[in-house]
């Protein structure tokens, strides 16, 4: 039975999609069977991994219009495509009984086919995010090492506490990690040190450095390992995956 990981932050632009793609690809490179699920209406995960016109996506499957489709990407790595229509999920399913568990029920058959399912969560708190938290075992939170980059952290931590009490007692936070990190910037170093002091058990050792290749890879429909295997981004995500596997 696979483990479901949610990559999440209530703030946008902190590297959730980049991290979902590259943690997933990194896990696949270790021999783990991985399925990525694009839950962000921007569908950047889907487009960034080369799926341009998916006939079936997670939104249609959640609405029961068709069976869930999994698109193979490479050895051990596959994707459930996203849809811009996910922005209307609250309106479509907001009045339904057990609406927070629709994603959990949908993904249940995939758990026997994979070792890990990674959820790329949208920013903000809506029904899609609640569904992700209701079915995940572990959350990982990417952060930028600056004041505005950590604004969403407390919201996530408070939401996890409520979810543990009400919907998913198995939910835990696997860790926080820094993206777009530059050790030469004083603000980045100070923010990192401060959060390590505040959350010593949550802040992971691995950081993702600023890397041109990480920004370029999605434009070619590739993960960082396929696009630039010797880049700083590939090195950092490989180290992060190793750390995740040992926690």
């Amino acid at each position: 039975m696979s483990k479901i990981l949610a990559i999440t932050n209530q703030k946008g632009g902190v590297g959730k999609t980049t991290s979902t793609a590259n943690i997933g690809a990194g896990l696949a490179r270790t021999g783990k069977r991985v399925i990525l699920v694009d839950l962000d209406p921007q569908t950047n995960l889907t487009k960034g991994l080369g799926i341009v016109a998916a006939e079936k996506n997670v939104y249609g499957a959640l609405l029961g219009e068709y069976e869930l489709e999994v698109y193979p990407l490479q050895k051990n790595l596959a994707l459930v495509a996203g849809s811009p229509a996910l922005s209307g999920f609250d309106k479509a399913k907001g009045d339904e009984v057990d609406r927070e568990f629709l994603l959990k029920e949908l993904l249940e058959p995939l758990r026997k086919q994979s070792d890990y399912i990674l959820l790329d969560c949208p920013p903000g708190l809506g029904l899609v995010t609640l569904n992700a938290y209701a079915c995940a075992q572990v959350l990982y939170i990417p952060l930028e090492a600056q004041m505005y980059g950590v604004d969403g952290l407390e919201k996530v931590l408070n939401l996890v506490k409520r979810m543990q009490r009400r919907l998913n007692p198995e939910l835990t936070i696997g860790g926080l990690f820094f993206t777009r990190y530059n050790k030469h910037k004083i603000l980045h170093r100070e923010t990192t040190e401060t959060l390590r002091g505040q959350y010593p058990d949550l802040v992971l050792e691995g950081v993702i450095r600023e890397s041109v290749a990480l920004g370029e890879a999605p434009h070619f429909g590739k993960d960082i390992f396929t696009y630039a295997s010797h880049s700083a981004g590939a090195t950092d995500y490989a180290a992060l995956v190793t750390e995740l596997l040992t926690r």
Side-chain angles (χ1 to χ4, degrees), residues 137-157:
Q137 281 86 49
V138 186
L139 303 184
Y140 285 99
I141 307 171
L143 302 167
E144 277 196 87
Q146 55 182 307
M147 180 176 66
Y148 296 119
V150 302
D151 280 350
L153 178 57
E154 282 299 327
K155 294 179 181 178
V156 173
L157 298 180

Side-chain angles (χ1 to χ4, degrees), residues 51-52 64 69 77 84 99 108 111 124 164 183 207 231 245:
I51 305 296
V52 179
E69 183 77 16
L77 186 65
R99 56 191 175 272
E108 196 63 31
R111 298 192 65 191
Q164 288 170 332
K183 67 179 181 180
V207 297
S231 65
L245 287 171

Side-chain angles (χ1 to χ4, degrees), residues 14 39 48 63 72 88 106 113 116 122 127 134 138 171 192 198 214 242:
V14 296
L39 296 175
L63 265 56
L106 187 68
Q113 306 171 24
Y116 287 92
L127 187 54
V138 186
L171 183 64
T192 302
Q198 291 178 341
L214 284 172
T242 299

Side-chain angles (χ1 to χ4, degrees), residues 1-5 24 27-36 76-78 109-118 137 245:
M1 191 71 76
S2 67
K3 179 178 287 188
I4 301 178
L5 312 180
L27 287 168
R29 285 165 56 87
T30 71
K32 304 297 184 183
R33 298 168 300 162
V34 181
I35 297 174
L36 310 177
N76 295 326
L77 186 65
L110 298 186
R111 298 192 65 191
K112 298 177 182 179
Q113 306 171 24
S114 58
D115 299 303
Y116 287 92
I117 297 174
L118 271 62
Q137 281 86 49
L245 287 171

Side-chain angles (χ1 to χ4, degrees), residues 33-51:
R33 298 168 300 162
V34 181
I35 297 174
L36 310 177
V37 183
D38 189 350
L39 296 175
D40 193 328
Q42 296 181 72
T43 67
N44 287 335
L45 180 64
T46 301
K47 293 180 290 189
L49 289 173
I51 305 296

